[in-house]
Amino acid sequence: MNYVSTRGAGADEHHSFSDILLGGLARDGGLYLPAEYPQISTEELARWRGLSYADLAFEILSKFAGDIPAEDLRDITRRTYTGETYRNVRHGEDASKITPLTTLGVENGTTLSLLELSNGPTLAFKDMAMQLLGNLFEYALAKAGQELNILGATSGDTGSAAEYAMRGKKGVRVFMLSPHKKMSAFQTAQMFSLQDPNIFNLAVEGVFDDCQDIVKAVSNDHAFKAQQKIGTVNSINWARVVAQVVYYFAGYFAATKSNDERVSFTVPSGNFGNVCAGHIARMMGLPIEKLVVATNENDVLDEFFRTGIYRVRGSAETYHTTSPSMDISKASNFERFVYDLLGRDPARVTQLFRDVEEKGGFDLVASGDFVRVKQFGFVSGRSSHDDRIATIRDIYSRYKTMIDTHTADGVKVAREHLQPGVPMIVLETAQPVKFGETIREALDREPERPAAFEGLEALPQRFEVVPADAQRVKDYIAAHTAH
Ligand SMILES: *Cc1c(COP(=O)(O)O)cnc(C)c1O
């Protein structure tokens, strides 16, 4: 399998999965994609139906990572997707299912269900990919005799998923910046209670944007970056996207009895990483009818899928909402879909994303490209705070199921796209306990808390407060990577 950049640089070079695993953007600023999508035969699909999650992950990963020896990849996927890591804390069912499907009920002549993706250690779907990434990184670094220092900024979900994936991993350190005293008590405790010596929590005296600016400043210091072996784990990482392809297959098998059936997925979306994996599953031949993109008030993607106009937002137009992990101003993985939509034309992709930088967006209606969006199954919708509250209430009273705010955005939009006879699977992206304040507003009661998280906020915390100053962060990193 060869990988290419959406902007075309190095088209005559060969890039393997391992080559791009530890990196971020391609050097031309594009994103990596496989040179072609592997096609799944009907025999394979029939055989995969009976596999465990870990073995399904192995089959799918081996289509994309042929340069990793099969026995090594088998070991990595089996160690990652175990019931020990993905405790099915809510239903006490067989934990080895990893991503159980919960049927809510029948609406408009079809079943509406939730695919549980938040049974991992940080109770959000980012664990699904990040746990695999931790094991892949450790494996690749040991093989190359290298070390990696991950630098990131977080306002919640990504940072904790990265820390729980990398804790205790050989050759990796994590330096995670978060805005001091700005995260919820639960999220703060999740991150700061980690005592592993390779995890460094830096509480920055500032807001999330200050944290991001520091990461950018450090990354732009190329000498420092090379010397300290600085890397990232952001959502454009290809291995994260491909790890997510697996649960679209698992969800399909759980919702159907035969491979002649089709299903639709609704995906609470921010950076387009999750739904991009659905697009790839569909391109591989998984019988997906519709991919429904659900956004919150930050509706960049909904606007595109309704109108054909992609318009990124400035900071004044980016809202802090009660589904905060979807609060984005532009969707960093969207370029991967645009590349496919335009028939894989890197020159046009380069021009369009130059227009994003210079003019704030682009319009695919006039060029005639937008009509083809339908062929890719995409539709969309938007949800607001009031919708979220009403949906959490409705699902709780109707089906006795408590859902989080992001999943509520998904359910709200899914209901606008139900088709009789086509099961609708909403991807459940977090557990309600992470967003307790909104649950209390909606239901006037405390969110359900998995037993393992009792008393979390009382555990001793380990973190360092630093000023919003890139040089101070660099000094801290240098002092903690010296041998
Ligand atoms: C990150 C996140 C999302 C958005 O996923 P993208 O891949 O950025 O589209 C949705 N819900 C939750 C809970 C998240 O943590």
Side-chain angles (χ1 to χ4, degrees):
M1 171 68 68
N2 184 27
Y3 287 87
V4 296
S5 164
T6 50
R7 301 196 191 175
D12 49 348
E13 300 162 13
H14 187 86
H15 300 281
S16 71
F17 181 84
S18 301
D19 293 337
I20 63 168
L21 173 64
L22 300 172
L25 292 174
R27 65 169 185 273
D28 57 359
L31 279 71
Y32 284 112
L33 272 178
E36 68 265 343
Y37 294 118
Q39 296 301 303
I40 306 309
S41 66
T42 39
E43 293 73 34
E44 273 173 317
L45 204 58
R47 186 164 58 78
W48 288 2
R49 189 174 271 280
L51 296 181
S52 69
Y53 193 92
D55 289 346
L56 180 63
F58 166 75
E59 294 291 341
I60 292 172
L61 263 294
S62 51
K63 301 263 176 204
F64 292 95
D67 55 313
I68 298 181
E71 60 274 28
D72 295 351
L73 193 59
R74 172 85 70 187
D75 174 58
I76 290 170
T77 48
R78 287 205 173 151
R79 276 192 289 122
T80 303
Y81 297 112
T82 67
E84 190 52 42
T85 309
Y86 289 89
R87 283 166 302 179
N88 186 1
V89 284
R90 286 170 293 186
H91 309 290
E93 271 175 48
D94 178 5
S96 67
K97 277 193 185 133
I98 311 297
T99 58
L101 188 76
T102 310
T103 299
L104 292 174
V106 175
E107 296 188 11
N108 279 10
T110 193
T111 48
L112 177 65
S113 45
L114 299 175
L115 186 64
E116 290 179 22
L117 302 180
S118 60
N119 291 318
T122 75
L123 309 182
F125 92 97
K126 290 191 174 66
D127 290 328
M128 293 302 304
M130 211 69 97
Q131 287 289 317
L132 181 77
L133 205 66
N135 287 326
L136 282 171
F137 274 23
E138 184 174 54
Y139 170 81
L141 290 167
K143 239 185 167 175
Q146 287 175 3
E147 289 192 352
L148 182 71
N149 293 306
I150 293 167
L151 174 64
T154 190
S155 52
D157 287 347
T158 311
S160 55
E163 291 188 352
Y164 279 76
M166 302 297 166
R167 63 187 296 202
K169 294 282 182 285
K170 289 186 219 56
V172 190
R173 292 186 195 85
V174 178
F175 295 89
M176 191 57 66
L177 310 182
S178 58
H180 188 35
K181 296 189 173 159
K182 302 263 176 358
M183 290 188 298
S184 73
F186 185 88
Q187 287 188 315
T188 306
Q190 246 189 336
M191 287 176 55
F192 292 5
S193 63
L194 287 180
Q195 303 294 333
D196 307 73
N198 71 328
I199 303 295
F200 300 92
N201 281 304
L202 298 178
V204 175
E205 293 175 314
V207 293
F208 176 59
D209 286 340
D210 297 313
C211 301
Q212 269 191 318
D213 288 345
I214 294 172
V215 173
K216 271 190 210 136
V218 175
S219 301
N220 285 334
D221 182 344
H222 298 288
F224 180 85
K225 196 176 164 197
Q227 190 198 359
Q228 297 294 336
K229 304 186 172 54
I230 302 286
T232 55
V233 288
N234 50 29
S235 80
I236 54 130
N237 180 287
W238 166 251
R240 277 182 66 181
V241 175
V242 76
Q244 294 169 174
V245 171
V246 180
Y247 52 69
Y248 285 87
F249 281 82
Y252 173 78
F253 294 137
T256 58
K257 291 206 173 60
S258 114
N259 296 338
D260 300 329
E261 295 173 60
R262 299 178 77 76
V263 304
S264 292
F265 287 94
T266 299
V267 187
S269 293
N271 274 316
F272 205 76
N274 198 350
V275 75
C276 186
H279 163 67
I280 291 165
R282 196 174 184 274
M283 296 299 276
M284 291 168 72
L286 187 68
I288 298 176
E289 180 70 24
K290 294 239 148 43
L291 286 165
V292 185
V293 177
T295 74
N296 64 17
E297 293 88 334
N298 296 290
D299 57 357
V300 185
L301 289 169
D302 177 45
E303 182 175 78
F304 174 78
F305 286 107
R306 275 187 302 102
T307 67
I309 293 167
Y310 183 63
R311 183 177 66 85
V312 303
R313 313 293 202 245
S315 51
E317 260 186 307
T318 306
Y319 309 109
H320 291 283
T321 74
T322 43
S323 44
S325 299
M326 290 154 59
D327 293 349
I328 49 106
S329 54
K330 57 174 185 244
S332 46
N333 278 289
F334 185 53
E335 182 168 336
R336 289 193 159 112
F337 171 65
V338 172
Y339 182 69
D340 286 340
L341 180 66
L342 298 183
R344 304 199 137 212
D345 179 344
R348 284 196 64 208
V349 172
T350 306
Q351 183 55 52
L352 289 179
F353 284 87
R354 195 172 295 151
D355 290 348
V356 170
E357 295 297 317
E358 290 165 7
K359 301 177 199 156
F362 52 73
D363 176 346
L364 294 185
V365 179
S367 62
D369 299 293
F370 184 59
V371 291
R372 282 200 309 281
V373 162
K374 274 205 283 299
Q375 298 166 17
F376 292 87
F378 276 100
V379 291
S380 72
R382 173 189 194 275
S383 167
S384 67
H385 178 77
D386 290 346
D387 295 325
R388 226 164 275 143
I389 297 289
T391 306
I392 291 170
R393 266 186 204 145
D394 180 66
I395 295 297
Y396 192 71
S397 67
R398 202 184 290 254
Y399 302 121
K400 308 278 171 290
T401 301
M402 197 185 281
I403 56 174
D404 98 292
T405 53
H406 306 75
T407 308
D409 290 333
V411 170
K412 188 268 178 183
V413 174
R415 283 172 155 168
E416 298 164 357
H417 294 280
L418 297 175
Q419 290 169 279
V422 182
M424 175 61 85
I425 301 171
V426 179
L427 299 192
E428 184 252 34
T429 58
Q431 292 203 28
V433 68
K434 298 193 85 168
F435 305 97
E437 206 179 306
T438 311
I439 298 298
R440 284 188 288 274
E441 180 185 339
L443 303 177
D444 198 22
R445 60 162 61 218
E446 288 299 315
E448 294 152 357
R449 179 182 282 240
F453 291 80
E454 291 303 342
L456 177 72
E457 289 90 336
L459 294 175
Q461 300 194 349
R462 179 172 160 268
F463 63 100
E464 193 97 23
V465 181
V466 294
D469 176 348
Q471 188 56 49
R472 295 284 288 275
V473 171
K474 281 191 213 172
D475 293 345
Y476 184 92
I477 294 172
H480 291 85
T481 56
H483 294 282

